[in-house]
Amino acid sequence: MSAPKILILQNSPGAPAGVVGDQLARAGASLDTRLALGGDPLPSAPEGYDGLLVLGGPMSPNDDDDYPGLKAERELIRAFAASGRPVLGICLGAQLIARAFGGTARRHDIPEIGFTQIELTKDAAGDHLMGGFDTLPRLMHWHYDTFDLPDGAVLLATNSVCRNQAFRLGQEVHAVQFHPEVTAEIIRDWLRRFRAEGVSPDAISEDEMEAQMRDHLAAAESFGRTLADRWLALVERSRAGSAVLSV
């Protein structure tokens, strides 16, 4: 069987697949990355791909007027899910998944920026991606929006700042509000971009972020690699099932 092919929707030049993408490629996946809101054409259907990864970005998930491509992303998310192909959404990607299936995305009460603690729910125990962890490391966040769960979603992770941190729809669709893909370079680039735009993320200083990276980034990157491996295993299981059905 050929290498699994993953479509990656990158919503900002500064928000690449990072650790997750590197691990998928290292494990043998073929990656097709499209700058989804930057003019790259998107496929109209999931055929030819085995999984969909939807990344983060600085825009609101409700910015359809300024970013009409968000509608096409939601349509692709639904099409991949309907075909039984696994979908993984990160931050904005998670919010788009929630919207794609009837959930409501909205501005959160406070921004969540930096490495924060996340607790697994009891329903995470049997999940393909989130099961089997006693605890999670502190994981990176950078978001101003949140979402309400769509009907039928299973909450997998939560914390006291933002209730909906990870969820699953069916067995193939997963969404995480945190950033398992980040590297030190990505985080520092986000800080530089905010400075260049004259915006200061008042929730955390650069010195505090550097201190958090020293304390938590290595464990967070390890978790990101594990998450990528588990998601690719889910993609492979889905492919194997589809191959059996097509014989």
Side-chain angles (χ1 to χ4, degrees):
M1 189 178 287
S2 61
K5 189 172 183 180
I6 307 300
L7 176 62
I8 300 177
L9 303 185
Q10 183 174 337
N11 287 301
S12 167
V19 168
V20 171
D22 289 346
Q23 188 66 20
L24 291 173
R26 186 176 294 115
S30 171
L31 308 182
D32 180 2
T33 300
R34 308 288 182 98
L35 196 56
L37 303 179
D40 286 352
L42 301 184
S44 59
E47 280 69 32
Y49 297 96
D50 301 298
L52 175 65
L53 174 61
V54 187
L55 300 174
M59 61 288 299
S60 164
N62 298 316
D63 275 350
D64 288 2
D65 291 340
D66 292 332
Y67 300 96
L70 292 174
K71 180 176 183 291
E73 291 192 49
R74 294 195 301 272
E75 290 172 350
L76 265 180
I77 288 167
R78 287 191 291 266
F80 269 78
S83 71
R85 292 169 168 86
V87 179
L88 174 60
I90 293 173
C91 196
L92 173 64
Q95 297 159 9
L96 291 174
I97 289 173
R99 279 204 66 196
F101 293 100
T104 301
R106 53 189 166 78
R107 201 70 165 177
H108 194 37
D109 299 335
I110 58 173
E112 188 175 22
I113 299 176
F115 288 82
T116 59
Q117 191 63 55
I118 301 168
E119 292 78 42
L120 294 168
T121 69
K122 61 180 178 57
D123 289 315
D127 184 68
H128 291 301
L129 300 194
M130 306 297 288
F133 294 103
D134 292 331
T135 59
L136 296 179
R138 287 182 175 264
L139 297 171
M140 178 65 187
H141 293 79
W142 195 311
H143 68 100
Y144 299 87
D145 297 301
T146 185
F147 52 84
D148 297 316
L149 295 179
D151 289 345
V154 177
L155 184 65
L156 301 174
T158 188
N159 72 9
S160 60
V161 178
C162 183
R163 178 181 182 271
N164 296 327
Q165 290 287 343
F167 70 88
R168 183 186 74 239
L169 274 169
Q171 296 300 318
E172 310 297 336
V173 178
H174 286 80
V176 298
Q177 181 61 75
F178 49 85
H179 284 279
E181 83 283 13
V182 292
T183 63
E185 291 75 17
I186 290 172
I187 295 172
R188 290 174 182 139
D189 181 59
W190 290 350
L191 289 167
R192 284 193 296 270
R193 288 172 184 270
F194 268 71
R195 282 202 310 271
E197 295 169 4
V199 179
S200 174
D202 53 8
I204 191 169
S205 72
E206 291 183 41
D207 287 344
E208 289 172 324
M209 185 70 85
E210 288 290 338
Q212 288 191 12
M213 285 195 287
R214 286 193 297 272
D215 290 342
H216 306 299
L217 183 57
E221 288 180 333
S222 178
F223 172 81
R225 289 189 290 271
T226 298
L227 190 74
D229 285 340
R230 289 182 172 196
W231 187 66
L232 188 58
L234 185 61
V235 170
E236 293 280 23
R237 282 196 291 271
S238 175
R239 274 213 310 167
S242 296
V244 169
L245 290 174
S246 65
V247 171

